[in-house]
Amino acid sequence: ICSFVRSPKGFPKLKNDTFLRAARGEETEHTPVWCMRQAGRYLPEFRETRAAQDFFATCRSPKLCCELTLQPLRRFPLDAAIIFSDILVVPQALGMEVVMVPGKGPTFTEPLKEVEDLLKLRQKVDVTAELGYVFQAITLTRHSLEGRVPLIGFSGAPWTLMSYMIEGGGSTTMAKAKSWLYRHPEASHQLLRLLANVVTDYLVGQVAAGAQALQLFESHAGHLGPEQFQDFALPYIQDIAQAVKNKLKEEALPLVPMIIFAKDAHYALRDLANAGYEVVGLDWTIRPQEARAQTGKDVTLQGNLDPCALYAPKEKIGELVKKMLEGFGTQRYIANLGHGLYPDISPEHVGAFVEAVHAHSRHINKH
């Protein structure tokens, strides 16, 4: 199983690069597929591995992160692995305490309430010192994958992280966080800029550690309207893509494909397609043809089966996948769900989804 290897150099040769080729817009024999939250509670072995440990203690254990990342690949012929971690490790790196409360989810012991609270945050973050455990997990997992599939690294985007830091956890309205955007626009930008800088260094560090692609999660985009998205989300999404690419060049690191996934942000698809990412991820609330029309021919699309479709009988999953592939086309496309897997979805149905993508895309490509 996962034993720790210190040097990130000398990684095993990649055997299946279908996901990376699709991300770069190159031709593929089949449509690659992976699932958001593919390392998750829907797998009994995941629940078993996680049982004894606090959630964030698990995130800080490179060995456990490696094991959890590999579990779905032992079951399914997925075309990519995504490192097991959490977006809230970034606020932790800024000095905030986050605990996982059973039945409630991630909870900040002291959320940001007043503008003055920004002074409590670390203004300069040494990502290696604060998040080195993620880098170690990536290096270890990259070796342990033995070149089977590429490894994806990720981060939350600034607005999504800011909303958690102010709300103190999940929220249906994000009213506290949004009130900052209206009441304290300057302080909001100050916080978003700080987050963007840390996220940039964090993503570059993940590539240095061995990540072969990066995904930025703007999970709370749907709480913003077009104007607030333009002001408080998009500029930082664009800056991160540009800054990461510049730093990778400066540090002579591989220029890896980057994915932006802004949930419920179809009002901004044109802007997202021009934000500097190779891939735009989509949730399930938009038609494939419409997404293609809005994003043009120069980006790869990823998504967007409704996760609840996996509750359907297996034959039905196959039909839905076929329809999705016909809508997107099999090229410049990465199959995925429109959000993460839910904990009560049957692993067999996840397998049916993965197999249907491979079978139908090969069939469409032949004919």
mmCIF file of all heavy atoms in Angstrom, residues 31-74:
data_model
loop_
_atom_site.group_PDB
_atom_site.id
_atom_site.type_symbol
_atom_site.label_atom_id
_atom_site.label_comp_id
_atom_site.label_asym_id
_atom_site.label_seq_id
_atom_site.Cartn_x
_atom_site.Cartn_y
_atom_site.Cartn_z
ATOM 1 N N THR A 31 -14.232 8.755 -24.379
ATOM 2 C CA THR A 31 -14.390 9.930 -23.517
ATOM 3 C C THR A 31 -13.929 9.557 -22.113
ATOM 4 O O THR A 31 -14.410 8.576 -21.544
ATOM 5 C CB THR A 31 -15.867 10.372 -23.494
ATOM 6 O OG1 THR A 31 -16.234 10.769 -24.825
ATOM 7 C CG2 THR A 31 -16.081 11.535 -22.543
ATOM 8 N N PRO A 32 -12.977 10.331 -21.552
ATOM 9 C CA PRO A 32 -12.532 10.015 -20.193
ATOM 10 C C PRO A 32 -13.616 10.364 -19.172
ATOM 11 O O PRO A 32 -14.460 11.222 -19.420
ATOM 12 C CB PRO A 32 -11.307 10.904 -20.004
ATOM 13 C CG PRO A 32 -11.493 12.032 -20.965
ATOM 14 C CD PRO A 32 -12.285 11.493 -22.122
ATOM 15 N N VAL A 33 -13.553 9.687 -18.029
ATOM 16 C CA VAL A 33 -14.575 9.920 -16.995
ATOM 17 C C VAL A 33 -13.933 9.827 -15.613
ATOM 18 O O VAL A 33 -13.067 8.989 -15.365
ATOM 19 C CB VAL A 33 -15.749 8.911 -17.139
ATOM 20 C CG1 VAL A 33 -15.268 7.466 -17.136
ATOM 21 C CG2 VAL A 33 -16.802 9.114 -16.044
ATOM 22 N N TRP A 34 -14.331 10.745 -14.737
ATOM 23 C CA TRP A 34 -14.025 10.637 -13.301
ATOM 24 C C TRP A 34 -15.210 11.268 -12.581
ATOM 25 O O TRP A 34 -16.097 11.835 -13.227
ATOM 26 C CB TRP A 34 -12.692 11.297 -12.938
ATOM 27 C CG TRP A 34 -12.619 12.799 -13.081
ATOM 28 C CD1 TRP A 34 -12.437 13.498 -14.231
ATOM 29 C CD2 TRP A 34 -12.715 13.784 -12.030
ATOM 30 N NE1 TRP A 34 -12.409 14.850 -13.985
ATOM 31 C CE2 TRP A 34 -12.572 15.056 -12.632
ATOM 32 C CE3 TRP A 34 -12.896 13.714 -10.640
ATOM 33 C CZ2 TRP A 34 -12.623 16.249 -11.900
ATOM 34 C CZ3 TRP A 34 -12.937 14.909 -9.912
ATOM 35 C CH2 TRP A 34 -12.796 16.153 -10.542
ATOM 36 N N CYS A 35 -15.276 11.150 -11.267
ATOM 37 C CA CYS A 35 -16.408 11.693 -10.510
ATOM 38 C C CYS A 35 -15.925 12.595 -9.386
ATOM 39 O O CYS A 35 -15.007 12.230 -8.655
ATOM 40 C CB CYS A 35 -17.237 10.574 -9.867
ATOM 41 S SG CYS A 35 -17.945 9.434 -11.049
ATOM 42 N N MET A 36 -16.574 13.738 -9.268
ATOM 43 C CA MET A 36 -16.307 14.552 -8.085
ATOM 44 C C MET A 36 -16.761 13.756 -6.858
ATOM 45 O O MET A 36 -17.782 13.084 -6.904
ATOM 46 C CB MET A 36 -17.036 15.890 -8.194
ATOM 47 C CG MET A 36 -16.411 16.789 -9.272
ATOM 48 S SD MET A 36 -17.144 18.424 -9.367
ATOM 49 C CE MET A 36 -18.470 18.143 -10.544
ATOM 50 N N ARG A 37 -15.971 13.828 -5.804
ATOM 51 C CA ARG A 37 -16.172 13.031 -4.577
ATOM 52 C C ARG A 37 -16.133 11.526 -4.855
ATOM 53 O O ARG A 37 -16.873 10.769 -4.238
ATOM 54 C CB ARG A 37 -17.500 13.375 -3.881
ATOM 55 C CG ARG A 37 -17.503 14.765 -3.258
ATOM 56 C CD ARG A 37 -18.491 14.855 -2.083
ATOM 57 N NE ARG A 37 -18.806 16.261 -1.871
ATOM 58 C CZ ARG A 37 -20.013 16.797 -1.963
ATOM 59 N NH1 ARG A 37 -21.066 16.042 -2.222
ATOM 60 N NH2 ARG A 37 -20.196 18.084 -1.778
ATOM 61 N N GLN A 38 -15.278 11.112 -5.799
ATOM 62 C CA GLN A 38 -15.202 9.665 -6.073
ATOM 63 C C GLN A 38 -14.554 8.925 -4.895
ATOM 64 O O GLN A 38 -14.832 7.747 -4.677
ATOM 65 C CB GLN A 38 -14.491 9.375 -7.395
ATOM 66 C CG GLN A 38 -13.029 9.775 -7.498
ATOM 67 C CD GLN A 38 -12.502 9.650 -8.933
ATOM 68 O OE1 GLN A 38 -13.246 9.730 -9.913
ATOM 69 N NE2 GLN A 38 -11.199 9.473 -9.077
ATOM 70 N N ALA A 39 -13.706 9.614 -4.135
ATOM 71 C CA ALA A 39 -13.218 9.042 -2.871
ATOM 72 C C ALA A 39 -14.186 9.541 -1.802
ATOM 73 O O ALA A 39 -14.093 10.682 -1.369
ATOM 74 C CB ALA A 39 -11.802 9.535 -2.575
ATOM 75 N N GLY A 40 -15.139 8.716 -1.416
ATOM 76 C CA GLY A 40 -16.160 9.246 -0.509
ATOM 77 C C GLY A 40 -16.960 8.179 0.208
ATOM 78 O O GLY A 40 -16.730 6.976 0.046
ATOM 79 N N ARG A 41 -17.946 8.674 0.960
ATOM 80 C CA ARG A 41 -18.697 7.832 1.888
ATOM 81 C C ARG A 41 -19.597 6.802 1.214
ATOM 82 O O ARG A 41 -20.146 5.934 1.880
ATOM 83 C CB ARG A 41 -19.569 8.719 2.804
ATOM 84 C CG ARG A 41 -18.764 9.425 3.879
ATOM 85 C CD ARG A 41 -19.655 10.331 4.706
ATOM 86 N NE ARG A 41 -20.236 11.384 3.880
ATOM 87 C CZ ARG A 41 -21.178 12.227 4.306
ATOM 88 N NH1 ARG A 41 -21.674 12.117 5.523
ATOM 89 N NH2 ARG A 41 -21.648 13.174 3.510
ATOM 90 N N TYR A 42 -19.788 6.886 -0.097
ATOM 91 C CA TYR A 42 -20.609 5.873 -0.779
ATOM 92 C C TYR A 42 -19.868 4.528 -0.825
ATOM 93 O O TYR A 42 -20.476 3.502 -1.093
ATOM 94 C CB TYR A 42 -20.988 6.339 -2.200
ATOM 95 C CG TYR A 42 -19.848 6.279 -3.185
ATOM 96 C CD1 TYR A 42 -19.743 5.240 -4.104
ATOM 97 C CD2 TYR A 42 -18.841 7.240 -3.166
ATOM 98 C CE1 TYR A 42 -18.671 5.165 -4.988
ATOM 99 C CE2 TYR A 42 -17.767 7.171 -4.037
ATOM 100 C CZ TYR A 42 -17.687 6.136 -4.944
ATOM 101 O OH TYR A 42 -16.618 6.066 -5.799
ATOM 102 N N LEU A 43 -18.544 4.559 -0.576
ATOM 103 C CA LEU A 43 -17.758 3.324 -0.567
ATOM 104 C C LEU A 43 -17.621 2.791 0.855
ATOM 105 O O LEU A 43 -17.145 3.507 1.738
ATOM 106 C CB LEU A 43 -16.348 3.572 -1.126
ATOM 107 C CG LEU A 43 -16.211 3.871 -2.619
ATOM 108 C CD1 LEU A 43 -14.769 4.191 -2.969
ATOM 109 C CD2 LEU A 43 -16.718 2.702 -3.459
ATOM 110 N N PRO A 44 -18.013 1.530 1.098
ATOM 111 C CA PRO A 44 -17.872 0.962 2.447
ATOM 112 C C PRO A 44 -16.426 0.985 2.938
ATOM 113 O O PRO A 44 -16.176 1.251 4.099
ATOM 114 C CB PRO A 44 -18.391 -0.469 2.308
ATOM 115 C CG PRO A 44 -18.699 -0.691 0.875
ATOM 116 C CD PRO A 44 -18.658 0.608 0.155
ATOM 117 N N GLU A 45 -15.459 0.774 2.019
ATOM 118 C CA GLU A 45 -14.055 0.768 2.438
ATOM 119 C C GLU A 45 -13.599 2.163 2.878
ATOM 120 O O GLU A 45 -12.732 2.305 3.750
ATOM 121 C CB GLU A 45 -13.132 0.197 1.342
ATOM 122 C CG GLU A 45 -13.181 0.894 -0.011
ATOM 123 C CD GLU A 45 -14.204 0.311 -0.983
ATOM 124 O OE1 GLU A 45 -15.296 -0.106 -0.531
ATOM 125 O OE2 GLU A 45 -13.904 0.285 -2.187
ATOM 126 N N PHE A 46 -14.208 3.201 2.275
ATOM 127 C CA PHE A 46 -13.912 4.577 2.700
ATOM 128 C C PHE A 46 -14.392 4.788 4.137
ATOM 129 O O PHE A 46 -13.669 5.285 4.993
ATOM 130 C CB PHE A 46 -14.607 5.568 1.751
ATOM 131 C CG PHE A 46 -14.453 7.024 2.146
ATOM 132 C CD1 PHE A 46 -13.447 7.802 1.580
ATOM 133 C CD2 PHE A 46 -15.311 7.621 3.061
ATOM 134 C CE1 PHE A 46 -13.300 9.138 1.935
ATOM 135 C CE2 PHE A 46 -15.172 8.961 3.417
ATOM 136 C CZ PHE A 46 -14.160 9.719 2.849
ATOM 137 N N ARG A 47 -15.624 4.378 4.398
ATOM 138 C CA ARG A 47 -16.183 4.551 5.745
ATOM 139 C C ARG A 47 -15.347 3.798 6.777
ATOM 140 O O ARG A 47 -15.104 4.288 7.875
ATOM 141 C CB ARG A 47 -17.642 4.061 5.781
ATOM 142 C CG ARG A 47 -18.571 4.924 4.920
ATOM 143 C CD ARG A 47 -20.029 4.704 5.280
ATOM 144 N NE ARG A 47 -20.492 3.351 4.974
ATOM 145 C CZ ARG A 47 -20.970 2.973 3.801
ATOM 146 N NH1 ARG A 47 -21.059 3.838 2.797
ATOM 147 N NH2 ARG A 47 -21.383 1.729 3.602
ATOM 148 N N GLU A 48 -14.851 2.637 6.375
ATOM 149 C CA GLU A 48 -14.033 1.826 7.281
ATOM 150 C C GLU A 48 -12.693 2.509 7.585
ATOM 151 O O GLU A 48 -12.273 2.581 8.735
ATOM 152 C CB GLU A 48 -13.778 0.469 6.614
ATOM 153 C CG GLU A 48 -13.568 -0.662 7.567
ATOM 154 C CD GLU A 48 -13.493 -1.973 6.799
ATOM 155 O OE1 GLU A 48 -14.509 -2.372 6.169
ATOM 156 O OE2 GLU A 48 -12.408 -2.570 6.804
ATOM 157 N N THR A 49 -12.055 3.017 6.536
ATOM 158 C CA THR A 49 -10.752 3.687 6.708
ATOM 159 C C THR A 49 -10.905 4.941 7.569
ATOM 160 O O THR A 49 -10.035 5.259 8.366
ATOM 161 C CB THR A 49 -10.163 4.081 5.326
ATOM 162 O OG1 THR A 49 -10.166 2.931 4.486
ATOM 163 C CG2 THR A 49 -8.752 4.618 5.442
ATOM 164 N N ARG A 50 -12.014 5.636 7.361
ATOM 165 C CA ARG A 50 -12.226 6.915 8.033
ATOM 166 C C ARG A 50 -12.769 6.771 9.461
ATOM 167 O O ARG A 50 -12.706 7.700 10.255
ATOM 168 C CB ARG A 50 -13.230 7.759 7.216
ATOM 169 C CG ARG A 50 -12.629 8.540 6.068
ATOM 170 C CD ARG A 50 -12.226 9.944 6.438
ATOM 171 N NE ARG A 50 -13.331 10.711 7.003
ATOM 172 C CZ ARG A 50 -13.449 10.983 8.283
ATOM 173 N NH1 ARG A 50 -12.564 10.548 9.160
ATOM 174 N NH2 ARG A 50 -14.474 11.696 8.721
ATOM 175 N N ALA A 51 -13.305 5.595 9.801
ATOM 176 C CA ALA A 51 -14.085 5.426 11.038
ATOM 177 C C ALA A 51 -13.373 5.914 12.294
ATOM 178 O O ALA A 51 -13.955 6.629 13.107
ATOM 179 C CB ALA A 51 -14.484 3.967 11.199
ATOM 180 N N ALA A 52 -12.106 5.559 12.430
ATOM 181 C CA ALA A 52 -11.422 5.838 13.697
ATOM 182 C C ALA A 52 -10.904 7.271 13.794
ATOM 183 O O ALA A 52 -10.529 7.718 14.866
ATOM 184 C CB ALA A 52 -10.272 4.854 13.857
ATOM 185 N N GLN A 53 -10.885 7.981 12.671
ATOM 186 C CA GLN A 53 -10.173 9.257 12.617
ATOM 187 C C GLN A 53 -11.095 10.466 12.534
ATOM 188 O O GLN A 53 -12.125 10.417 11.887
ATOM 189 C CB GLN A 53 -9.289 9.285 11.354
ATOM 190 C CG GLN A 53 -8.004 8.506 11.468
ATOM 191 C CD GLN A 53 -6.873 9.326 12.035
ATOM 192 O OE1 GLN A 53 -7.099 10.374 12.638
ATOM 193 N NE2 GLN A 53 -5.663 8.849 11.871
ATOM 194 N N ASP A 54 -10.650 11.558 13.144
ATOM 195 C CA ASP A 54 -11.273 12.862 12.914
ATOM 196 C C ASP A 54 -11.056 13.228 11.433
ATOM 197 O O ASP A 54 -10.003 12.914 10.860
ATOM 198 C CB ASP A 54 -10.595 13.890 13.829
ATOM 199 C CG ASP A 54 -10.871 15.313 13.401
ATOM 200 O OD1 ASP A 54 -12.005 15.763 13.597
ATOM 201 O OD2 ASP A 54 -9.965 15.960 12.834
ATOM 202 N N PHE A 55 -12.037 13.899 10.824
ATOM 203 C CA PHE A 55 -11.970 14.191 9.389
ATOM 204 C C PHE A 55 -10.697 14.955 9.015
ATOM 205 O O PHE A 55 -9.967 14.577 8.100
ATOM 206 C CB PHE A 55 -13.198 14.989 8.933
ATOM 207 C CG PHE A 55 -13.142 15.365 7.477
ATOM 208 C CD1 PHE A 55 -13.460 14.442 6.497
ATOM 209 C CD2 PHE A 55 -12.716 16.627 7.079
ATOM 210 C CE1 PHE A 55 -13.372 14.763 5.149
ATOM 211 C CE2 PHE A 55 -12.625 16.955 5.739
ATOM 212 C CZ PHE A 55 -12.958 16.025 4.773
ATOM 213 N N PHE A 56 -10.418 16.066 9.718
ATOM 214 C CA PHE A 56 -9.255 16.872 9.328
ATOM 215 C C PHE A 56 -7.935 16.199 9.710
ATOM 216 O O PHE A 56 -6.915 16.440 9.077
ATOM 217 C CB PHE A 56 -9.366 18.303 9.864
ATOM 218 C CG PHE A 56 -10.369 19.118 9.086
ATOM 219 C CD1 PHE A 56 -11.595 19.458 9.642
ATOM 220 C CD2 PHE A 56 -10.106 19.517 7.779
ATOM 221 C CE1 PHE A 56 -12.535 20.190 8.905
ATOM 222 C CE2 PHE A 56 -11.034 20.238 7.036
ATOM 223 C CZ PHE A 56 -12.247 20.583 7.598
ATOM 224 N N ALA A 57 -7.981 15.308 10.719
ATOM 225 C CA ALA A 57 -6.794 14.492 11.027
ATOM 226 C C ALA A 57 -6.507 13.569 9.837
ATOM 227 O O ALA A 57 -5.346 13.348 9.463
ATOM 228 C CB ALA A 57 -7.011 13.691 12.296
ATOM 229 N N THR A 58 -7.566 13.046 9.227
ATOM 230 C CA THR A 58 -7.406 12.226 8.013
ATOM 231 C C THR A 58 -6.759 13.054 6.907
ATOM 232 O O THR A 58 -5.829 12.597 6.242
ATOM 233 C CB THR A 58 -8.771 11.682 7.538
ATOM 234 O OG1 THR A 58 -9.387 10.971 8.604
ATOM 235 C CG2 THR A 58 -8.618 10.754 6.343
ATOM 236 N N CYS A 59 -7.264 14.283 6.715
ATOM 237 C CA CYS A 59 -6.700 15.164 5.674
ATOM 238 C C CYS A 59 -5.210 15.427 5.906
ATOM 239 O O CYS A 59 -4.466 15.647 4.955
ATOM 240 C CB CYS A 59 -7.429 16.509 5.648
ATOM 241 S SG CYS A 59 -9.118 16.414 5.031
ATOM 242 N N ARG A 60 -4.791 15.416 7.185
ATOM 243 C CA ARG A 60 -3.386 15.710 7.494
ATOM 244 C C ARG A 60 -2.489 14.470 7.465
ATOM 245 O O ARG A 60 -1.295 14.571 7.697
ATOM 246 C CB ARG A 60 -3.278 16.411 8.867
ATOM 247 C CG ARG A 60 -3.726 17.866 8.814
ATOM 248 C CD ARG A 60 -3.437 18.611 10.114
ATOM 249 N NE ARG A 60 -4.301 18.174 11.199
ATOM 250 C CZ ARG A 60 -5.522 18.672 11.445
ATOM 251 N NH1 ARG A 60 -5.996 19.651 10.680
ATOM 252 N NH2 ARG A 60 -6.247 18.227 12.449
ATOM 253 N N SER A 61 -3.075 13.311 7.151
ATOM 254 C CA SER A 61 -2.280 12.082 7.069
ATOM 255 C C SER A 61 -2.037 11.713 5.607
ATOM 256 O O SER A 61 -2.953 11.223 4.930
ATOM 257 C CB SER A 61 -3.017 10.934 7.776
ATOM 258 O OG SER A 61 -2.518 9.696 7.331
ATOM 259 N N PRO A 62 -0.810 11.928 5.101
ATOM 260 C CA PRO A 62 -0.539 11.587 3.694
ATOM 261 C C PRO A 62 -0.887 10.137 3.364
ATOM 262 O O PRO A 62 -1.443 9.858 2.304
ATOM 263 C CB PRO A 62 0.960 11.855 3.544
ATOM 264 C CG PRO A 62 1.234 12.938 4.548
ATOM 265 C CD PRO A 62 0.340 12.619 5.723
ATOM 266 N N LYS A 63 -0.595 9.210 4.303
ATOM 267 C CA LYS A 63 -0.875 7.787 4.069
ATOM 268 C C LYS A 63 -2.359 7.526 3.871
ATOM 269 O O LYS A 63 -2.762 6.800 2.953
ATOM 270 C CB LYS A 63 -0.378 6.966 5.267
ATOM 271 C CG LYS A 63 0.891 6.218 4.969
ATOM 272 C CD LYS A 63 1.222 5.268 6.098
ATOM 273 C CE LYS A 63 2.247 4.261 5.609
ATOM 274 N NZ LYS A 63 3.175 3.839 6.632
ATOM 275 N N LEU A 64 -3.194 8.116 4.742
ATOM 276 C CA LEU A 64 -4.646 7.897 4.631
ATOM 277 C C LEU A 64 -5.209 8.572 3.387
ATOM 278 O O LEU A 64 -6.067 8.013 2.706
ATOM 279 C CB LEU A 64 -5.364 8.398 5.892
ATOM 280 C CG LEU A 64 -5.220 7.531 7.145
ATOM 281 C CD1 LEU A 64 -5.873 8.204 8.344
ATOM 282 C CD2 LEU A 64 -5.833 6.143 6.932
ATOM 283 N N CYS A 65 -4.718 9.771 3.079
ATOM 284 C CA CYS A 65 -5.191 10.469 1.861
ATOM 285 C C CYS A 65 -4.872 9.647 0.622
ATOM 286 O O CYS A 65 -5.686 9.548 -0.303
ATOM 287 C CB CYS A 65 -4.554 11.849 1.747
ATOM 288 S SG CYS A 65 -5.161 13.010 2.969
ATOM 289 N N CYS A 66 -3.691 9.061 0.617
ATOM 290 C CA CYS A 66 -3.280 8.208 -0.506
ATOM 291 C C CYS A 66 -4.215 7.007 -0.616
ATOM 292 O O CYS A 66 -4.760 6.721 -1.696
ATOM 293 C CB CYS A 66 -1.843 7.767 -0.287
ATOM 294 S SG CYS A 66 -1.245 6.549 -1.466
ATOM 295 N N GLU A 67 -4.437 6.330 0.500
ATOM 296 C CA GLU A 67 -5.314 5.144 0.508
ATOM 297 C C GLU A 67 -6.718 5.507 0.018
ATOM 298 O O GLU A 67 -7.295 4.815 -0.825
ATOM 299 C CB GLU A 67 -5.343 4.559 1.930
ATOM 300 C CG GLU A 67 -6.428 3.521 2.183
ATOM 301 C CD GLU A 67 -6.385 2.297 1.276
ATOM 302 O OE1 GLU A 67 -5.311 1.982 0.704
ATOM 303 O OE2 GLU A 67 -7.439 1.645 1.122
ATOM 304 N N LEU A 68 -7.279 6.612 0.519
ATOM 305 C CA LEU A 68 -8.652 7.006 0.147
ATOM 306 C C LEU A 68 -8.725 7.409 -1.324
ATOM 307 O O LEU A 68 -9.721 7.148 -2.003
ATOM 308 C CB LEU A 68 -9.141 8.137 1.048
ATOM 309 C CG LEU A 68 -9.339 7.740 2.523
ATOM 310 C CD1 LEU A 68 -9.558 8.963 3.401
ATOM 311 C CD2 LEU A 68 -10.504 6.768 2.688
ATOM 312 N N THR A 69 -7.666 8.028 -1.831
ATOM 313 C CA THR A 69 -7.624 8.428 -3.247
ATOM 314 C C THR A 69 -7.628 7.204 -4.161
ATOM 315 O O THR A 69 -8.245 7.209 -5.226
ATOM 316 C CB THR A 69 -6.375 9.292 -3.528
ATOM 317 O OG1 THR A 69 -6.389 10.431 -2.665
ATOM 318 C CG2 THR A 69 -6.335 9.768 -4.979
ATOM 319 N N LEU A 70 -6.925 6.150 -3.718
ATOM 320 C CA LEU A 70 -6.783 4.955 -4.556
ATOM 321 C C LEU A 70 -8.000 4.030 -4.511
ATOM 322 O O LEU A 70 -8.233 3.262 -5.453
ATOM 323 C CB LEU A 70 -5.543 4.152 -4.137
ATOM 324 C CG LEU A 70 -4.182 4.830 -4.341
ATOM 325 C CD1 LEU A 70 -3.060 3.901 -3.898
ATOM 326 C CD2 LEU A 70 -3.960 5.251 -5.785
ATOM 327 N N GLN A 71 -8.783 4.096 -3.427
ATOM 328 C CA GLN A 71 -9.906 3.154 -3.277
ATOM 329 C C GLN A 71 -10.839 3.079 -4.488
ATOM 330 O O GLN A 71 -11.107 1.980 -4.983
ATOM 331 C CB GLN A 71 -10.695 3.484 -2.002
ATOM 332 C CG GLN A 71 -9.992 2.990 -0.745
ATOM 333 C CD GLN A 71 -10.714 3.367 0.529
ATOM 334 O OE1 GLN A 71 -11.699 4.118 0.515
ATOM 335 N NE2 GLN A 71 -10.232 2.863 1.651
ATOM 336 N N PRO A 72 -11.347 4.216 -4.999
ATOM 337 C CA PRO A 72 -12.266 4.095 -6.146
ATOM 338 C C PRO A 72 -11.602 3.506 -7.384
ATOM 339 O O PRO A 72 -12.266 2.873 -8.207
ATOM 340 C CB PRO A 72 -12.733 5.533 -6.403
ATOM 341 C CG PRO A 72 -11.777 6.408 -5.676
ATOM 342 C CD PRO A 72 -11.214 5.607 -4.545
ATOM 343 N N LEU A 73 -10.279 3.689 -7.520
ATOM 344 C CA LEU A 73 -9.584 3.162 -8.705
ATOM 345 C C LEU A 73 -9.419 1.651 -8.641
ATOM 346 O O LEU A 73 -9.206 1.004 -9.659
ATOM 347 C CB LEU A 73 -8.221 3.837 -8.853
ATOM 348 C CG LEU A 73 -8.360 5.331 -9.158
ATOM 349 C CD1 LEU A 73 -7.138 6.083 -8.729
ATOM 350 C CD2 LEU A 73 -8.654 5.570 -10.621
ATOM 351 N N ARG A 74 -9.513 1.094 -7.452
ATOM 352 C CA ARG A 74 -9.461 -0.367 -7.336
ATOM 353 C C ARG A 74 -10.776 -0.978 -7.808
ATOM 354 O O ARG A 74 -10.838 -2.130 -8.205
ATOM 355 C CB ARG A 74 -9.194 -0.772 -5.887
ATOM 356 C CG ARG A 74 -7.823 -0.339 -5.401
ATOM 357 C CD ARG A 74 -7.485 -0.928 -4.036
ATOM 358 N NE ARG A 74 -6.288 -0.281 -3.523
ATOM 359 C CZ ARG A 74 -6.225 0.393 -2.378
ATOM 360 N NH1 ARG A 74 -7.296 0.485 -1.596
ATOM 361 N NH2 ARG A 74 -5.105 0.959 -1.997
#
